[in-house]
Amino acid sequence: MRCFLLIGLLAGLSLPTLAARPTPTPPAPKPAAAKNTVRRHLIYFRDKTGTPFSVSRPEEFLSGRALQRRQRQQIAVLPRDLPVSPAYVQQVKAVAGVQLWYTSRWFNAAVIACDSVVLAQVQALPFVQRARTLNRGLPQGSAQPKPAPAPPTPEQTTADRSQYGKAYAQIRQVGAERMHNAGFRGEGLQIAVFDAGFTGVNTASVFASMFTQNRLLSTFNVVEKSAAVFGRDSHGTNCLGIIGGDEPGRYLGAAPKASFRLFITEDNVGGTEHPVEEVNWLVAAEYADSAGVDIISSSLGYTTFDAPSPSYSYADMNGRTALSTRAAAVAARVGMLVVNSAGNDGNNAWRYIAAPADADSIMTVGAADSLGRVGSFSSRGPTADGRLKPNLSAMGVATAIVNPSGTISRGNGTSYACPVLAGLAAGFWQANPRLTAQQVIALLQRSGTQATAPDNNLGYGIPDFVRAYNLANPGTPLANAPARGVAGLYAYPNPVGPGEPLYLQLPTGPGPGILEIRIYDARGALVARQRVAPAATGTVRLETAGLRPGIFTCLIGPGPQQQAVRFVKQ
């Protein structure tokens, strides 16, 4: 993989459903002769015969949140979603010399580490269909965090962007400040970030609220099979800040109140490139699915590998060949919104998008400057089979990013355009919870600056929250007015426990009269309605005793400019 910037299945069964708990690091292989080098391999099983799992009992291998996401979008649980046969797993593990790392429900496969002699024994098992060498042994240890760049020169900010700091331009370009003013900051949405490392996220003040508000839900280092993600590389830190940075007056991301699951899928230690990183992407996507993630933000891409792993050609960018592309397509089909950077090859010999950006049904993001012009480095479409790519674009030239030290600087890359749109999509989906992931993509495309004349440079152009919202809600449009500052609508405690009341803090203090609050469940059905008068502090108390556990959306009125906030009832 290359992280797209210019400057600056657990062993034995299915992947864990919720938290990514630390697991022991597999033992290092003993020194061996070159011909018996331990490498990792993806072995495919012939079927799922003998599995104790059933599509009629999906709660045995998918979380309640994952099932709600499917139900909301009318997506059936299919045999593809079943874990691999435990009997097959046990027989593979019984082969002397095999270390089993992960299993894959979607590919009906397993990742193992062994030498070539042992691999031949595994391939001789009657239920093993084929194997593909991923050409890397066990991973090296984590690299030391890279030194942070020098603090940038302070910039003057005007009052209308004081809450956002240097992030204002990238936020304003897609209408996210108006999204925030309307009360949509990603509350209740789960975003998975796939990257190479998140150095400094646990110490930088811009991420502090993510910890204090319990919005960092899990961490999973797929490379090392552990929970340790706050090292190895700073690229994930840069991208996470663009979405979830939350330090008003200094830096605000596009979805500063979303919840996050962080994954290391890219192994930058050692400086080599092999398809094992694409399989890491698959493993992370299946975990995200089982945990109930709504959006995947991936600023990663794959074209060229080190020998003897074969590289991809442009002809392979057809939506059905690359491992990561196939994984991204399934992730989209189970109802997650996959947002992936297009790549930075626009002005070199490759020129085109990289995998998994060629997948269908995902949002591939190109880079533009602050004036909406395509960045010269931004990878172009179409896919090899002629589909338009990228889908949309955002600011990826001189984007404001968070460094591990907590300083703010600027960088270029489709890596940075991708999280801008992942955050925008989170707020837009929060505002329109009855939409499917594919409808979210379609409406954002229709709101783009090139909606009537899309091309393979910027796709449908740069989307806008207000235009997209009004397309989705023609009867109750938002006013297309200048921003008045960052909204303060939020719900607490969130999640709310059994028998606990839920409190809404209104963004502008108490209103002039009675408010009507409607509560919708994950399917979009109206389940409760309350008329309340805000307290002098602008706080509204809601009773939740009559609600079953699940995800709910409050719509707050009266008036055409409704506001919304999501909450979880435990």
Side-chain angles (χ1 to χ4, degrees), residues 302-304 310-318 321 350 353 358 384:
Y302 309 92
T303 57
T304 305
S311 296
Y312 292 127
S313 67
Y314 171 59
D316 293 322
M317 301 296 106
N318 56 16
T321 298
W350 176 272
I353 56 171
D358 63 313

Side-chain angles (χ1 to χ4, degrees), residues 102-124:
Y102 301 108
T103 60
S104 167
R105 296 181 285 116
W106 296 345
F107 282 19
N108 192 25
V111 179
I112 63 172
C114 64
D115 62 25
S116 58
V117 174
V118 174
L119 178 62
Q121 297 175 36
V122 172
Q123 289 182 282

Side-chain angles (χ1 to χ4, degrees), residues 332-395:
R333 280 157 178 72
V334 299
M336 290 186 286
L337 199 166
V338 180
V339 187
N340 205 95
S341 51
N344 293 339
D345 291 315
N347 52 11
N348 66 31
W350 176 272
R351 178 175 169 79
Y352 295 106
I353 56 171
D358 63 313
D360 66 22
S361 305
I362 76 168
M363 184 192 297
T364 299
V365 183
D369 65 15
S370 61
L371 299 178
R373 301 170 300 195
V374 65
S376 62
F377 56 82
S378 186
S379 289
R380 309 308 208 261
T383 62
D385 57 337
R387 286 175 290 113
L388 183 139
K389 290 285 179 177
N391 300 79
L392 289 162
S393 296
M395 189 168 163

Side-chain angles (χ1 to χ4, degrees), residues 246-280:
D246 184 25
E247 194 170 2
R250 186 164 175 268
Y251 188 99
L252 281 179
K257 295 300 182 183
S259 297
F260 294 90
R261 297 183 186 272
L262 307 183
F263 296 83
I264 291 181
T265 64
E266 170 62 16
D267 187 359
N268 279 351
V269 178
T272 57
E273 183 85 333
H274 292 287
V276 66
E277 291 165 331
E278 293 193 272
V279 175
N280 292 344

Side-chain angles (χ1 to χ4, degrees), residues 77-99:
V77 177
L78 301 175
R80 166 197 65 206
D81 299 307
L82 297 175
V84 301
S85 170
Y88 293 170
V89 171
Q90 292 304 316
Q91 291 181 66
V92 169
K93 291 173 66 176
V95 177
V98 166
Q99 297 177 31

Side-chain angles (χ1 to χ4, degrees), residues 10-53:
L10 295 176
L13 291 171
S14 61
L15 288 171
T17 299
L18 294 177
R21 295 187 288 269
T23 56
T25 301
K30 297 178 180 180
K35 65 179 180 179
N36 291 327
T37 299
V38 173
R39 302 186 188 282
R40 280 189 282 180
H41 314 273
L42 184 66
I43 59 169
Y44 291 87
F45 300 125
R46 295 186 183 278
D47 51 46
K48 294 185 177 180
T49 299
T51 179
F53 302 100

Side-chain angles (χ1 to χ4, degrees), residues 47-279:
D47 51 46
K48 294 185 177 180
T49 299
T51 179
F53 302 100
S54 169
V55 295
S56 64
R57 300 189 307 277
E59 66 280 358
E60 295 178 359
F61 52 91
L62 293 173
S63 69
R65 202 177 194 282
L67 294 175
Q68 289 175 352
R69 189 191 64 234
R70 284 170 165 77
Q71 292 164 1
R72 191 166 61 247
Q73 302 181 65
Q74 299 183 342
I75 296 172
V77 177
L78 301 175
R80 166 197 65 206
D81 299 307
L82 297 175
V84 301
S85 170
Y88 293 170
V89 171
Q90 292 304 316
Q91 291 181 66
V92 169
K93 291 173 66 176
V95 177
V98 166
Q99 297 177 31
L100 192 142
W101 277 64
Y102 301 108
T103 60
S104 167
R105 296 181 285 116
W106 296 345
F107 282 19
N108 192 25
V111 179
I112 63 172
C114 64
D115 62 25
S116 58
V117 174
V118 174
L119 178 62
Q121 297 175 36
V122 172
Q123 289 182 282
L125 295 171
F127 51 84
V128 173
Q129 183 181 54
R130 58 190 174 93
R132 174 174 177 176
T133 297
L134 303 174
N135 203 51
R136 180 172 290 170
L138 303 184
Q140 301 179 40
S142 296
Q144 293 299 314
K146 300 177 182 178
T153 302
E155 296 181 0
Q156 290 295 113
T157 58
T158 55
D160 63 350
R161 71 177 199 180
S162 61
Q163 294 291 297
Y164 295 92
K166 294 179 182 178
Y168 181 68
Q170 63 218 43
I171 292 294
R172 184 177 184 275
Q173 187 181 55
V174 297
E177 92 284 17
R178 289 172 289 174
M179 178 174 81
H180 297 164
N181 283 343
F184 310 113
R185 298 174 298 169
E187 291 93 340
L189 273 288
Q190 287 192 17
I191 303 175
V193 182
F194 297 179
D195 220 290
F198 300 89
T199 303
V201 166
N202 56 331
T203 57
S205 59
V206 74
F207 300 111
S209 70
M210 197 178 296
F211 293 85
T212 59
Q213 296 171 6
N214 297 316
R215 293 186 290 103
L216 181 55
L217 304 179
S218 65
T219 61
F220 188 19
N221 182 335
V222 185
V223 174
E224 296 179 352
K225 200 173 186 181
S226 76
V229 302
F230 302 126
R232 297 188 70 94
D233 200 274
S234 61
H235 186 260
T237 310
N238 304 151
C239 296
L240 177 63
I242 292 169
I243 311 174
D246 184 25
E247 194 170 2
R250 186 164 175 268
Y251 188 99
L252 281 179
K257 295 300 182 183
S259 297
F260 294 90
R261 297 183 186 272
L262 307 183
F263 296 83
I264 291 181
T265 64
E266 170 62 16
D267 187 359
N268 279 351
V269 178
T272 57
E273 183 85 333
H274 292 287
V276 66
E277 291 165 331
E278 293 193 272
V279 175

